[in-house]
């Protein structure tokens, strides 16, 4: 910023903060904040998403993880699928290498722990069909792609270590409607493992 100066110590601290892979660049929203201000949050975040994705060289898996979290809480289907596809296209980002965010909010941490499993589910569907993550944008030889060894994604070990919530977290859909209960056929089995009652989201993009 013009006219702003930093001490050498501050520059070092800022540089270290940029280099860490476990902390999101901006303070994460709480679930209550996202549900309470969904429309406002979307307007603000839509301006940030293009910038974040265009700067893929500086973007990180942990930042994408928190964006996915926000999209899931708000049930923002279009941006959720866009973000999943964006993560897929960063083929150097192995799902198993997503760092443990060690989020201090137990509820948010539980939701975050489910997201890599959803990525694995979506990505492995493509891989098993013969579409690797590093496939070219324009495919001219699909047989060659199908002949490649299928390297499936795996979720990080920390996800299973995150405990299920003691009290059931119920997440409404975009229209504010909640599921009837854990036996609802539309409930996400992945979220139920963490005692979260949420709609099974549209995660497939191919």
């Amino acid at each position: 910023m013009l006219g702003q100066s930093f001490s050498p110590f501050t520059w070092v601290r800022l540089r270290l903060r940029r280099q860490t892979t476990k902390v999101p660049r901006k303070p994460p929203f709480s679930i209550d904040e996202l549900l309470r201000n969904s429309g406002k949050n979307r307007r603000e975040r839509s301006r940030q998403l293009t910038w974040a994705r265009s700067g893929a060289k500086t973007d990180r898996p942990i930042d994408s993880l928190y964006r996915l979290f926000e999209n899931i809480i708000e049930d923002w289907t279009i941006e959720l699928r866009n973000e999943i596809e964006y993560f897929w296209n960063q083929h150097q980002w192995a799902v198993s290498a997503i760092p443990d965010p060690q989020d201090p909010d137990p509820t948010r941490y539980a939701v975050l722990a489910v997201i890599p499993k959803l990525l694995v589910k979506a990505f492995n569907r493509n891989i098993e069909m013969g579409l690797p993550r590093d496939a070219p944008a324009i495919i001219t030889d699909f047989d060659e792609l199908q002949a490649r060894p299928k390297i499936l994604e795996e979720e990080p070990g920390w996800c299973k270590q995150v405990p299920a919530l003691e009290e059931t977290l119920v997440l409404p859909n975009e229209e504010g409607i909640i599921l009837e209960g854990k036996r609802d056929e539309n409930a996400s089995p992945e979220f139920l493992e963490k005692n979260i009652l949420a709609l099974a989201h549209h995660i497939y993009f191919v």
Side-chain angles (χ1 to χ4, degrees):
M1 184 178 295
L2 293 176
Q4 190 172 12
S5 62
F6 298 100
S7 68
F9 174 78
T10 302
W11 275 117
V12 171
R13 185 174 61 187
L14 288 171
R15 185 174 180 83
L16 289 173
R17 184 176 179 182
R18 290 192 189 102
Q19 290 175 343
T20 183
T21 59
K22 293 186 176 182
V23 180
R25 283 196 170 87
K26 65 182 181 65
F29 290 107
S30 70
I31 291 176
D32 287 341
E33 287 173 326
L34 288 167
L35 293 177
R36 188 169 57 248
N37 302 308
S38 178
K40 179 182 177 182
N41 291 336
R42 287 189 182 189
R43 288 192 297 272
E44 292 177 353
R45 284 168 46 223
S46 63
R47 291 193 294 267
Q48 300 170 359
L49 288 172
T50 301
W51 175 85
R53 293 174 185 148
S54 64
K57 290 184 179 180
T58 58
D59 201 15
R60 305 167 304 169
I62 193 72
D63 297 317
S64 183
L65 180 70
Y66 275 88
R67 293 196 296 266
L68 288 164
F69 159 78
E70 294 171 355
N71 294 331
I72 284 172
I73 299 302
E74 293 187 337
D75 193 29
W76 196 0
T77 301
I78 293 176
E79 279 305 330
L80 174 62
R81 291 175 66 179
N82 286 345
E83 189 68 37
I84 292 174
E85 185 172 4
Y86 168 77
F87 197 113
W88 161 269
N89 288 328
Q90 311 311 308
H91 59 85
Q92 72 277 15
W93 290 0
V95 176
S96 61
I98 297 175
D100 184 350
Q102 299 177 7
D103 197 294
D105 183 329
T107 306
R108 189 168 55 213
Y109 196 18
V111 176
L112 289 167
V114 177
I115 295 173
K117 177 171 282 193
L118 298 179
L119 293 178
V120 167
K121 186 177 181 179
F123 293 178
N124 284 351
R125 173 179 176 267
N126 294 351
I127 295 169
E128 288 170 347
M129 289 192 301
L131 184 64
R133 288 187 64 183
D134 62 348
I138 299 176
I139 298 174
T140 58
D141 189 348
F142 191 67
D143 290 337
E144 185 274 329
L145 290 180
Q146 288 190 313
R148 294 185 190 179
K150 292 179 171 58
I151 303 174
L152 298 177
E153 297 283 347
E154 298 179 352
E155 64 179 300
W158 62 265
C159 296
K160 294 180 180 178
Q161 298 173 3
V162 177
L165 298 172
E166 294 183 5
E167 210 172 302
T168 303
L169 171 66
V170 180
L171 297 177
N173 68 4
E174 184 179 17
E175 299 174 350
I177 300 172
I178 61 174
L179 300 176
E180 295 181 357
K182 293 182 179 180
R183 295 185 178 180
D184 192 308
E185 61 180 8
N186 295 313
S188 165
E190 292 81 15
F191 278 107
L192 286 176
E193 290 180 7
K194 299 296 185 187
N195 198 20
I196 300 170
L197 182 60
L199 187 71
H201 295 85
H202 300 285
I203 60 174
Y204 301 121
F205 54 91
V206 173

